[in-house]
Amino acid sequence: MNETDESQRVCVIGLGAMGSALAEAFLAKGHRVTVWNRTVSKCEALAEAGASVATSVPLAIAEAQTVVVCVLDHDVSVSLLLSDDVARALRGKLLVQLSTVTAEESREFGRWAEENGIDYLDGSILTYPAGIRNNEGTIVYSGPKRIFDANQGVLAALGGGPKLVSEVIGGAPTFDKTLYAFHYGSLLAFLHGAAMCHAVGISLETYLDQVGATANQRRYCEMIEKRSYEVTGATMELEAAAYAHVVTLSEELCVDGAFPTMVASHFERAIADGHGQREFAAIFEIMANSRSS
């Protein structure tokens, strides 16, 4: 770790694939990092890289200026943070919620933070762990602009340039669902076109040339050619769980839900067909073999 004059004491709670990547990124930028995870063995590689390992959440927070939480969901966040001991340890500090939560769940945390004198931002990570490690990913945030502006230096360690999309808590979890809607909808349309080309014997290279394919779409076509959908980003099951929020949010916002419901149904069919632990590109298989699916 190379400390700088701008280095901060940062705590990362939760060391799954993404939480570990966040901690590594902070270390790479010279911040002094403390980590905590229920499964202590997940802390070992980070300890070797220079992080301190805490034995409890309050102790992890005690020496930190900025606390980043990246756990499974809202229920886990509540179980770890909403206690008097943690509230006292967080008073006067910045809490950044990067777990998968809904807008209302984040607002609940925001109200608790305000009541306890804690600065609070929520965020949505728009990349895979590799994007965070490679300083290529973008994280969007919502919360008071004064808090965001005061902490851009430490947030910038996580790559891509932090972006404030709303001063209203819950804005970031809502915004990322709009991107899910576009991303998975366009990928589904792309895979449908690929299945049509396959059905009539048109090469996927010809298809790629004409649609102005992205690098990700080209990667998907390589998987289709090999009929191998080994996970390099996230599994179908994880992506399906994230996309399900698009359907729910569309209903809450009174936006027509026919399209996201259709996309969600393709996730469901692919998982039922045994592709749950494969890449999203495996949806091609149920499209190209619809008579048997």
Side-chain angles (χ1 to χ4, degrees), residues 128 180 183-184 187-188 191 219-220 223-224 228-245 262-287:
Y128 295 123
Y180 288 177
H183 176 71
Y184 289 108
L187 280 179
L188 192 68
L191 291 174
R219 183 172 65 88
Y220 277 9
M223 291 181 168
I224 291 168
S228 175
Y229 305 98
E230 183 178 347
V231 173
T232 58
T235 66
M236 184 94 65
E237 288 181 352
L238 285 174
E239 292 183 311
Y243 189 84
H245 293 293
M262 179 273 292
V263 175
S265 73
H266 282 73
F267 273 116
E268 292 165 4
R269 288 170 56 205
I271 291 170
D273 205 41
H275 301 295
Q277 294 301 306
R278 295 174 177 166
E279 280 265 7
F280 181 82
I283 283 179
F284 172 87
E285 296 297 330
I286 64 168
M287 291 179 162

Side-chain angles (χ1 to χ4, degrees), residues 152-224:
Q152 281 201 59
V154 67
L155 298 176
L158 302 179
K163 303 182 189 303
L164 185 71
V165 296
S166 174
E167 287 203 70
V168 178
I169 294 295
T174 297
F175 180 72
D176 77 354
K177 303 308 179 293
T178 69
L179 299 182
Y180 288 177
F182 171 78
H183 176 71
Y184 289 108
S186 61
L187 280 179
L188 192 68
F190 173 79
L191 291 174
H192 187 266
M196 293 177 71
C197 287
H198 174 76
V200 296
I202 297 173
S203 75
L204 292 182
E205 192 59 41
T206 299
Y207 176 56
L208 288 168
D209 288 344
Q210 291 305 308
V211 298
T214 65
N216 198 37
Q217 290 166 344
R218 290 187 176 277
R219 183 172 65 88
Y220 277 9
C221 279
E222 290 174 4
M223 291 181 168
I224 291 168

Side-chain angles (χ1 to χ4, degrees), residues 38-180:
R38 276 202 177 109
T39 304
V40 179
S41 60
K42 290 187 176 181
C43 302
E44 292 173 358
L46 288 162
E48 291 176 3
S52 300
V53 178
T55 56
S56 71
V57 171
L59 288 175
I61 293 168
E63 297 301 319
Q65 298 162 275
T66 298
V67 177
V68 175
V69 181
C70 187
V71 294
L72 180 63
D73 57 22
H74 177 68
D75 290 343
V76 177
S77 295
V78 168
S79 70
L80 294 176
L81 298 178
L82 266 60
S83 71
D84 291 341
D85 286 347
V86 171
R88 282 192 293 270
L90 278 170
R91 187 176 299 276
K93 300 177 180 181
L94 172 65
L95 173 63
V96 182
Q97 174 61 282
L98 295 181
S99 309
T100 300
V101 298
T102 66
E104 180 50 41
E105 288 168 347
S106 186
R107 285 191 287 269
E108 177 185 322
F109 257 101
R111 290 189 289 269
W112 172 81
E114 185 175 11
E115 289 168 1
N116 286 281
I118 303 162
D119 285 347
Y120 179 80
L121 295 172
D122 60 20
S124 291
I125 303 170
L126 307 182
T127 187
Y128 295 123
I132 295 296
R133 289 189 176 94
N134 297 334
N135 203 38
E136 297 170 347
T138 295
I139 301 180
V140 295
Y141 297 91
S142 53
K145 188 173 185 298
R146 63 171 180 81
I147 296 177
F148 176 79
D149 288 346
N151 292 280
Q152 281 201 59
V154 67
L155 298 176
L158 302 179
K163 303 182 189 303
L164 185 71
V165 296
S166 174
E167 287 203 70
V168 178
I169 294 295
T174 297
F175 180 72
D176 77 354
K177 303 308 179 293
T178 69
L179 299 182
Y180 288 177

